[in-house]
Every structure is written in structure tokens, then in C-alpha cells.
């Protein structure tokens, strides 16, 4: 999309977008060039447009001195115009422009939007995302993405360009994460994700370690190896290293992502339709990759380690089996009583490997449990932690960027539920109790964090949307990305 700053309204066959705050119609109109304000004065007369959030009027204008079409969009009450409303309003404009097939448009940026211009534009850009990469000439619909947007604003050029840059970077990164998560596992496999890590490292000058089957066998990463056992493709573990802190020796924040490129459940095969979405089971590691795409560009002043634990949970004669006992990278033995509880196995090894980098705190991010959806629905990711402060901070960060998390408990009894009679721990407590599945999954991971401050983010409820927000599309959402980025930026 080409964006330019404009200082006068163009005439001719295109759309002019006028965002309006609720109850501010008169003022908005007054600020506009005379011809348009005269025209809009008539619109107000019929009271059908008050500027409520999402309200719109689309109209043709028969005047050679004006643009041929006007799109009025309500922004809601001025005092409610904060991060979420700004992002959603931008998206509502973007979707409406698509709906009226306006590939070129002009848009006013009201003064009161200035301070949120970056998220407002981000919402608009995000709204253009489509899952159509695999469509070809046979079925591909006409591309209705906005091609050119001219912006009329009082903002100073450098200020505007800073906001625009930020919006572009955020959108590129979120779209990148979504593409990875939306694509099936025959395309985005363990090799692909390992290559992406290498590519991102090269582009940004990060240190990177990539361990494949041979190296994982050498260090005895028994969790990742067991899960991947029946796959034709090699497992992997990547570690990206970003040094943004003033003190290069500052201990890093580790972010460890689950990268199961497909989760059949293994021998404990997933029932029916539940399996169809399981190419998204690498969303955690996609968020890690996305973060590393943008950390340097934004100049985040922290040292960060990003780990992706990559495997494919397939089913076949080589599969690991319920009742197997495996030895994890840490040396902890695990009774595998459910091959579908595979995420915690790869994450356990991922966390252990991250300890080599002496992290000051650890995040794990994963589509770990169906139970988190039962507990929280699609609005919240589950936050489970051994430390109150880190959990409060990440929750607050998420709240600020509309990427919500909510705490779930880590009770000693849930930890106890993961103990095994014959090994150190087991990966599912199914035979004794149901319930608190997300907490118990996290309790398993906690065995590997070795007293570090740690917070687990279960995004199984949020990574994929059936009821997308205005700036989302059906499918991948990039949840967790905004939350973690905000946390790192603060
Ligand atoms: N990948 C799934 C969790 C999941 C479910 C993600 C639905 C997205 C949507 C995970 O590996 C899994 O299978 N979890 C099991 C854990 C159980 C066996 C303890 C689950 O949630 O049933
Ligand atoms: Mg599973
Ligand atoms: Zn899984």
C-alpha cells in the first residue's frame, strides 16, 4: 500500500474518508474545506449519523469540485478513543474501503487521533489481511486491497512518518506470524521454521544456534526426539539471541515457543474434527520468530533469547507410545501416559536449553491445552506463573495492547498431579482427575524452569479466531505477540 501525505483534497472518482467523533459532527464538518462542509451540513440534518463507533455513511457526491464519494465513519466518544478503539476504528475503515472496492482513497486524520496514529493505521493495514496465498487463477477473487491512501493531516511530516513506520512494521510482523500459523504443515514444517530462524538471524546480525536431529541426539533432548519419532522430517531447536540492552552482559529474558508443526495426538489420536486445526500448533514459535523480526527494528533495549522447540507429532509404527518412559534433556524422566500432551515435552527441553544462556526470567508460549479455552473462552490467553510480579506485568502489558491474558492457578496439588509412580513425573494426570488441565500442563513445565521467574502463556484459546476482532481475520491472530512486545518495550 502506498501512503502519501496530502495537503489538499483531490477531486474526481475516488473516496474521501472522514472519521467523526460521536457528537462532534458539527465541529468536524466546520474543520473541513467549505465545499465538503456545505455538503455534510445536509447529512447532519437527517440525524442518521451521530458518530457512534462503527457507524457509517457512504454516499455519492455530485459536485465537480469534490471527490465523487464520501465515507463517514464514527469513532465513538472522544474520551473512549484509546488503543483498542483506535485500532478497531482503523480496521473498520479498512474493511469498509474494501467493501466498496475503493483501491484508492483519501482520508482525514483528525487532530485527536494524532497521538494514536500508529495504532490507528496499524488497524487499517491489518484489516487488509487475507488468507488467499494458496488460491490460484482458478478461484482467486478480485484483489480488493487498498493500493493507495492519501492522508490529510495536521501532523508534522516526521511525526507522521514515525507513526507510519511503526504501523507498517507491526503489520508486517503480525502478517508474517499469521501466514506461518495459517499455512498447513506440508508447507510450514520443521525445516521451514528452522530456516526462518537462520534467515532472521542473518538479516539482523543475531547469533543463532540451530540444532537438528543429530545435535539433539548428541545432547539427549529426549522430549523433542520422542515427540518427533514417527515423523519423516527432522526435529529442531533454534535459539536466537538479541542483545539490545546497554549492558551487553545483562541477563536475557528467554521466550520459549512450542513449535509442533502438526499435532495428530500421536497414538492417543485426536478425535474427529479436532485435528483439522492442528497445523496451528506451532503458533508459539511463530510468535518467537515474529518478535525477533522486529526487536532490532524497534531498537528494544533488552537482551532477549528466543527458543523454538520444533517437532511433528505424527502417528505411525515409530511413534512414541503411551506408557513409554523418556529421559528429558534435563535428565528428568517422564512417564508418557498421553502422547497428545506433547507440547510440554518439547517445551521442557526448550526451557532446559535456554538455561545455558543464564536467563533472568523465562516465558513459555504455547497452544498447550484445549482446557484453556474451556476456562477462558477466546478472549483471554491463560497466564500461569511461579512469580506474582512477572504475571502482573505481562497481564498489564497485554491489557494495554488488547492482547488479553488472565491468571490461572498453580496450586501445589496440581504439581502433585504430575508426579509418577514409576518415573520422576508424567505428562498427563488423566487417570486420576479431570479439570485444571492448563494449570497441570504448566505445572509440568515448571519442573524445568529451575527456580527462575517464569510465566507460561497458553494461547490455545486465542491463537486462532472464529470470531475475529475488527482488525483480525478468521484464522490466526498473532496473539501473544503484542503482549510480549509491549512487555519488552516497557
Ligand atoms: N495442541 C493441543 C492443544 C490445543 C487444543 C491447541 C485445541 C489448540 C486447540 C495439545 O497438544 C493437546 O493435545 N493438549 C491436550 C492435553 C491433554 C492430553 C492433557 C488437550 O488439550 O486435550
Ligand atoms: Mg497434543
Ligand atoms: Zn499440541
Amino acid at each position: 500500500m502506498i501512503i502519501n501525505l496530502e495537503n489538499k483534497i483531490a477531486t474526481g472518482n475516488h473516496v474521501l474518508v472522514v472519521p467523526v467523533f460521536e457528537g462532534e459532527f458539527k465541529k468536524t464538518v466546520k474543520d473541513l474545506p467549505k465545499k465538503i462542509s456545505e455538503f455534510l451540513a445536509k447529512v447532519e440534518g437527517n440525524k442518521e449519523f451521530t458518530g457512534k463507533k462503527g457507524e457509517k455513511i457512504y454516499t455519492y457526491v455530485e459536485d465537480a469540485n469534490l471527490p465523487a464519494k464520501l465515507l463517514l465513519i464514527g469513532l465513538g466518544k472522544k474520551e473512549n478513543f484509546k488503543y483498542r478503539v483506535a485500532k478497531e476504528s482503523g480496521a473498520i475503515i479498512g474493511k469498509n474501503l474494501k467493501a466498496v472496492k475503493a483501491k484508492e482513497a483519501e482520508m482525514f486524520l483528525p487532530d485527536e487521533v494524532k497521538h494514536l496514529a500508529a495504532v490507528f493505521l496499524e488497524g487499517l493495514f491489518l484489516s487488509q489481511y487475507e488468507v488467499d496465498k494458496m488460491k490460484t487463477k482458478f478461484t482467486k477473487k478480485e484483489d480488493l486491497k487498498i493500493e493507495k491512501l492519501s492522508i490529510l493531516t495536521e501532523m508534522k511530516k516526521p511525526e507522521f512518518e514515525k507513526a507510519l513506520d511503526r504501523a507498517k512494521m507491526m503489520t508486517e510482523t503480525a502478517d508474517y506470524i499469521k501466514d506461518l500459523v495459517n499455512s498447513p504443515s506440508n508447507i510450514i514444517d520443521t525445516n521451514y521454521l528452522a530456516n526462518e530462524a537462520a534467515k532472521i538471524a542473518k538479516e539482523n546480525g543475531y547469533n543463532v544456534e540451530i540444532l537438528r536431529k543429530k545435535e539433539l541426539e548428541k545432547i539427549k533432548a529426549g522430549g523433542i526426539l520422542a515427540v518427533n519419532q514417527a515423523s519423516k522430517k527432522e526435529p529442531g531447536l533454534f535459539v536466537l539471541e538479541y542483545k539490545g540492552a546497554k549492558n551487553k552482559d545483562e541477563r536475557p529474558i528467554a521466550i520459549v515457543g512450542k513449535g509442533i508443526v502438526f499435532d495428530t495426538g500421536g497414538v492417543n489420536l485426536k478425535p474427529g474434527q479436532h485435528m483439522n486445526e492442528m497445523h496451528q500448533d506451532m503458533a508459539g514459535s511463530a510468535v518467537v520468530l515474529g518478535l525477533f523480526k522486529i526487536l532490532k527494528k524497534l531498537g528494544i533495549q533488552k537482551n532477549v533469547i528466543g527458543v523454538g522447540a520444533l517437532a511433528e507429532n505424527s502417528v505411525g509404527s515409530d511413534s512414541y507410545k503411551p506408557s513409554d518412559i523418556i529421559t528429558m534433556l534435563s535428565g528428568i524422566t517422564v512417564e508418557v501416559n498421553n502422547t497428545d500432551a506433547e507440547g510440554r515435552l518439547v517445551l521442557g527441553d526448550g526451557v532446559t536449553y535456554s538455561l545455558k544462556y543464564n536467563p533472568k526470567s523465562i516465558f513459555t508460549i504455547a497452544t498447550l491445552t484445549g482446557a484453556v479455552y474451556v476456562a477462558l473462552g477466546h478472549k483471554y490467553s491463560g497466564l500461569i506463573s511461579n512469580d506474582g510480579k512477572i504475571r502482573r506485568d505481562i497481564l498489564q502489558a497485554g491489557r494495554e495492547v488488547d492482547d488479553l491474558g488472565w491468571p490461572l492457578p498453580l496450586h501445589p496439588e496440581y504439581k502433585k498431579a504430575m508426579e509418577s509412580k514409576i518415573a520422576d513425573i508424567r505428562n498427563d494426570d488423566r487417570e486420576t482427575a479431570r479439570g485444571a488441565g492448563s494449570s497441570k500442563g504448566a505445572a509440568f513445565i515448571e519442573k524445568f524452569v529451575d527456580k527462575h521467574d517464569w510465566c507460561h502463556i497458553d494461547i490455545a484459546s486465542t491463537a486462532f479466531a472464529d470470531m475475529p476482532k475488527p482488525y483480525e481475520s478468521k484464522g490466526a491472530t498473532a496473539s501473544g505477540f503484542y503482549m510480549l512486545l509491549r512487555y519488552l518495550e516497557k
Side-chain angles (χ1 to χ4, degrees), residues 8 127 156 162 260 272 280 351 359 401 405 427 430 434 450 478 482:
K8 63 173 196 306
S127 72
K156 298 258 170 357
K162 202 168 152 224
I260 298 295
Q280 56 131 316
V351 166
V401 292
N427 74 335
R430 188 169 285 190
R434 302 282 278 151
D450 196 22
Y482 304 100

Side-chain angles (χ1 to χ4, degrees), residues 218-474:
K218 201 160 158 211
I219 63 168
K220 300 203 172 81
I224 299 177
L225 288 165
V227 172
N228 198 67
Q229 222 163 271
S231 173
K232 282 241 159 53
K233 293 168 185 166
E234 289 197 19
L237 179 83
F238 67 75
V239 187
L240 286 157
E241 198 177 356
Y242 168 70
K243 285 184 182 289
K246 289 207 180 73
N247 172 8
K248 298 290 169 240
D249 298 326
E250 194 176 289
R251 293 169 72 191
I253 297 166
I255 305 174
V256 185
K258 171 176 173 181
I260 298 295
V261 293
F262 196 86
D263 182 11
T264 63
V267 172
N268 294 102
L269 200 63
K270 285 194 180 291
Q273 285 295 106
H274 287 296
M275 203 191 292
N276 291 25
E277 286 178 355
M278 285 302 139
H279 61 273
Q280 56 131 316
D281 213 16
M282 32 57 76
S285 62
V287 167
V288 173
L289 289 171
L291 283 169
F292 277 77
K293 251 186 163 339
I294 203 169
L295 284 177
K296 187 169 176 203
K297 287 187 197 142
L298 292 178
I300 303 293
Q301 295 186 0
K302 296 267 167 37
N303 291 342
V304 190
I305 295 294
V307 179
L310 314 176
E312 180 176 50
N313 192 16
S314 295
V315 58
S317 57
D318 285 336
S319 291
Y320 75 137
K321 294 171 286 296
S323 84
D324 280 1
I325 297 176
I326 61 173
T327 304
M328 303 281 285
L329 178 60
S330 65
I332 293 175
T333 55
V334 177
E335 173 194 357
V336 176
N337 51 2
N338 193 327
T339 61
D340 198 12
E342 85 297 337
R344 56 202 73 180
L345 298 175
V346 302
L347 283 174
D349 279 356
V351 166
T352 301
Y353 200 78
S354 78
L355 299 182
K356 202 176 106 174
Y357 291 80
N358 190 23
K360 74 169 167 239
S361 56
I362 303 173
F363 286 95
T364 45
I365 176 159
T367 46
L368 201 75
T369 63
V372 73
Y373 179 77
V374 178
L376 299 176
H378 65 273
K379 288 302 281 182
Y380 295 88
S381 302
L383 303 177
I384 302 151
S385 175
N386 61 0
D387 174 72
K389 179 166 181 350
I390 193 174
R391 196 190 55 206
R392 275 191 301 278
D393 288 350
I394 190 79
L395 186 142
Q396 177 56 24
R399 189 177 267 161
E400 286 169 20
V401 292
D402 195 31
D403 185 6
L404 302 176
W406 199 255
L408 293 171
L410 191 64
H411 193 278
E413 276 187 29
Y414 299 155
K415 301 184 195 185
K416 218 161 171 251
M418 304 314 289
E419 287 169 6
S420 162
K421 289 200 182 70
I422 51 173
D424 295 331
I425 51 175
R426 57 183 176 182
N427 74 335
D428 182 17
D429 78 327
R430 188 169 285 190
E431 78 237 24
T432 54
R434 302 282 278 151
S438 310
S439 294
K440 288 169 184 168
F444 180 95
I445 295 170
E446 198 206 5
K447 311 271 183 194
F448 300 85
V449 302
D450 196 22
K451 301 208 171 65
H452 288 75
D453 290 349
W454 155 77
C455 185
H456 172 64
I457 308 172
D458 194 334
I459 53 171
S461 45
T462 54
F464 235 53
D466 280 333
M467 286 160 44
K469 300 169 186 166
Y471 55 83
E472 293 172 346
S473 319
K474 246 174 155 21

Side-chain angles (χ1 to χ4, degrees), residues 93-159:
I93 291 172
K95 286 198 167 154
N96 274 297
L97 285 174
K98 245 173 152 180
V100 300
K101 302 191 173 189
K103 291 194 190 176
E104 282 190 26
E106 266 187 328
M107 177 171 74
F108 277 107
L109 205 69
D111 248 14
E112 298 84 346
V113 173
K114 261 187 188 169
H115 66 294
L116 286 165
V119 281
F120 184 73
L121 290 172
E122 184 187 334
L124 193 150
F125 297 160
L126 285 171
S127 72
Q128 304 296 295
Y129 182 83
E130 293 259 9
V131 189
D132 61 359
K133 298 252 163 2
M134 300 310 291
K135 287 208 165 274
T136 68
K137 63 182 180 195
F138 299 108
T139 59
K140 196 169 189 129
K141 291 200 200 91
E142 186 192 351
D143 190 351
L144 296 174
K145 290 196 187 90
I146 306 167
E147 284 167 4
K148 188 169 164 229
L149 191 63
S150 304
I151 312 245
L152 296 135
T153 174
E154 296 283 302
M155 281 171 89
K156 298 258 170 357
K157 198 167 176 219
E159 186 195 2

